[in-house]
Amino acid sequence: PAFESSGHDKNQRAYVLSRKSAVESAALEFTLAGNSQSPVLNPAFIVNNWGDANVTLTLDGKPVARGKNFRCGHRQTLEGTDLIVWIETESQASVTFHLEPQPRP
């Protein structure tokens, strides 16, 4: 309930989501439905108004360390700070993503 989806933006080549509430500690969990006709392939996500918090990723219940297969960064805008995430993964089945905010040191 703290987030809403705007779907896939072909121009940005990313799924766009937005934080609706001011609670920056709320986690974001969603599922992409993949199949043989439309597999999940290296998705990117933009979370508008995420805030300055870092993020941890869990993919189908398994933690994914930042690095070659999981990259993220922040983008400053007039409205706030957005989170941009890219994940190297491929699946012909549904994949559940869990993004958890982590305070910056």
Side-chain angles (χ1 to χ4, degrees):
F3 297 89
E4 68 182 353
S5 173
S6 299
H8 189 266
D9 183 334
K10 291 181 182 183
N11 293 325
Q12 298 187 76
R13 297 177 136 185
Y15 293 91
V16 179
L17 304 112
S18 299
R19 181 183 297 280
K20 295 189 315 185
S21 73
V23 180
E24 290 189 7
S25 62
L28 171 59
E29 185 169 298
F30 55 93
T31 301
L32 290 181
N35 58 48
S36 61
Q37 302 300 317
S38 180
V40 175
L41 181 61
N42 303 335
F45 306 102
I46 298 170
V47 185
N48 295 321
N49 300 317
W50 174 264
D52 292 328
N54 282 325
V55 64
T56 58
L57 169 68
T58 305
L59 189 62
D60 285 335
K62 299 174 187 162
V64 179
R66 283 179 71 168
K68 180 183 174 197
N69 300 329
F70 166 40
R71 299 179 186 183
C72 63
H74 292 83
R75 169 177 69 184
Q76 302 292 326
T77 69
L78 294 175
E79 291 81 28
T81 303
D82 302 339
L83 176 69
I84 302 172
V85 174
W86 176 84
I87 303 149
E88 184 175 29
T89 189
E90 184 175 352
S91 177
Q92 293 186 4
S94 295
V95 179
T96 300
F97 301 85
H98 182 89
L99 300 172
E100 184 81 34
Q102 300 296 314
R104 286 191 170 185

